[in-house]
């Protein structure tokens, strides 16, 4: 019985310590990590730690139902990883293009609107979570999507082998 209690105490201590470390590192991202592409011309923007936290919170509450870990549950072939985003048409590998997509989503080839089946600002009447999102919220969500590959590396959009 005493051994079991010691094991539980060790596990609890490890869990608390691990959580503390990950929270601290998430808040203390350096400026180069928080620098993200704003548009296709190469202009960049540096996100504040507050925008990073806000983007994570908004993504988790609005998008993670289908895109947890950067995957797409409805189409596992297309994720939110940098390669998939850059190969889309038009490319969705910068803040501006991701915001455009969140406002009015299209198929991967860009040929058809999918606003009726994908949550978006355009279809906010069908998807209530989208009704209250401001442009600042969309900026934070897009930033979260582009920041994750810098933090989680291949895990972001990596699929079942990681999550």
């Amino acid at each position: 019985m005493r051994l079991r209690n010691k094991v539980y105490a060790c596990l609890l201590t490890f869990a608390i310590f691990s959580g503390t470390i990950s929270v601290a590192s998430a808040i203390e991202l350096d400026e180069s990590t928080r620098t993200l592409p704003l548009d296709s011309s190469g202009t960049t923007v540096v996100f504040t730690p507050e925008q990073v936290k806000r983007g994570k919170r908004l993504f988790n509450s609005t998008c993670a139902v289908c895109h947890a870990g950067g995957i797409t549950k409805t189409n596992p072939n297309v994720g939110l990883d940098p390669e998939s985003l850059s190969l889309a048409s038009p490319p969705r590998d910068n803040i501006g293009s991701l915001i455009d997509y969140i406002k009015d989503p299209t198929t991967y080839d860009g040929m058809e609107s999918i606003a009726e089946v994908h949550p978006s600002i355009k279809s906010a009447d069908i998807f209530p979570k989208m009704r209250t999102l401001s442009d600042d919220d969309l900026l934070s969500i897009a930033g979260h999507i582009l920041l994750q590959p810098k933090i989680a590396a291949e895990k972001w959009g990596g699929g079942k082998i990681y999550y």
Side-chain angles (χ1 to χ4, degrees):
M1 189 69 164
R2 292 172 122 178
L3 180 61
R4 182 183 294 172
N5 288 342
K6 286 181 181 181
V7 169
Y8 287 139
C10 287
L11 290 174
L12 180 60
T13 302
F14 177 76
I16 291 170
F17 182 75
S18 297
T20 304
I21 296 300
S22 65
V23 170
S25 63
I27 293 171
E28 298 172 5
L29 297 173
D30 64 3
E31 188 172 310
S32 66
T33 303
R34 293 181 284 116
T35 302
L36 301 169
L38 183 61
D39 55 37
S40 58
S41 71
T43 306
T44 59
V45 63
V46 179
F47 273 63
T48 66
E50 288 303 316
Q51 286 175 306
V52 171
K53 288 191 294 189
R54 183 177 183 189
K56 179 178 181 175
R57 180 181 52 80
L58 289 168
F59 180 88
N60 286 339
S61 67
T62 309
C63 312
V65 170
C66 295
H67 293 290
I71 63 160
T72 301
K73 289 183 182 178
T74 57
N75 184 357
N77 296 317
V78 179
L80 299 178
D81 57 282
E83 182 181 17
S84 294
L85 293 175
S86 67
L87 293 175
S89 183
R92 299 170 187 147
D93 56 356
N94 62 69
I95 301 290
S97 63
L98 279 173
I99 290 174
D100 288 344
Y101 182 84
I102 296 169
K103 287 182 176 182
D104 188 9
T106 59
T107 53
Y108 194 69
D109 61 6
M111 300 300 283
E112 298 177 37
S113 174
I114 57 170
E116 289 188 15
V117 294
H118 189 283
S120 63
I121 300 303
K122 183 176 182 179
S123 61
D125 54 328
I126 326 174
F127 299 102
K129 286 185 177 186
M130 303 303 286
R131 292 179 189 161
T132 59
L133 295 178
S134 66
D135 285 343
D136 285 341
D137 294 337
L138 300 182
L139 177 80
S140 296
I141 291 169
H144 175 77
I145 293 168
L146 295 176
L147 182 63
Q148 288 311 298
K150 293 181 168 189
I151 298 170
E154 70 276 353
K155 286 184 178 182
W156 181 253
K160 291 180 183 180
I161 62 171
Y162 296 108
Y163 296 100

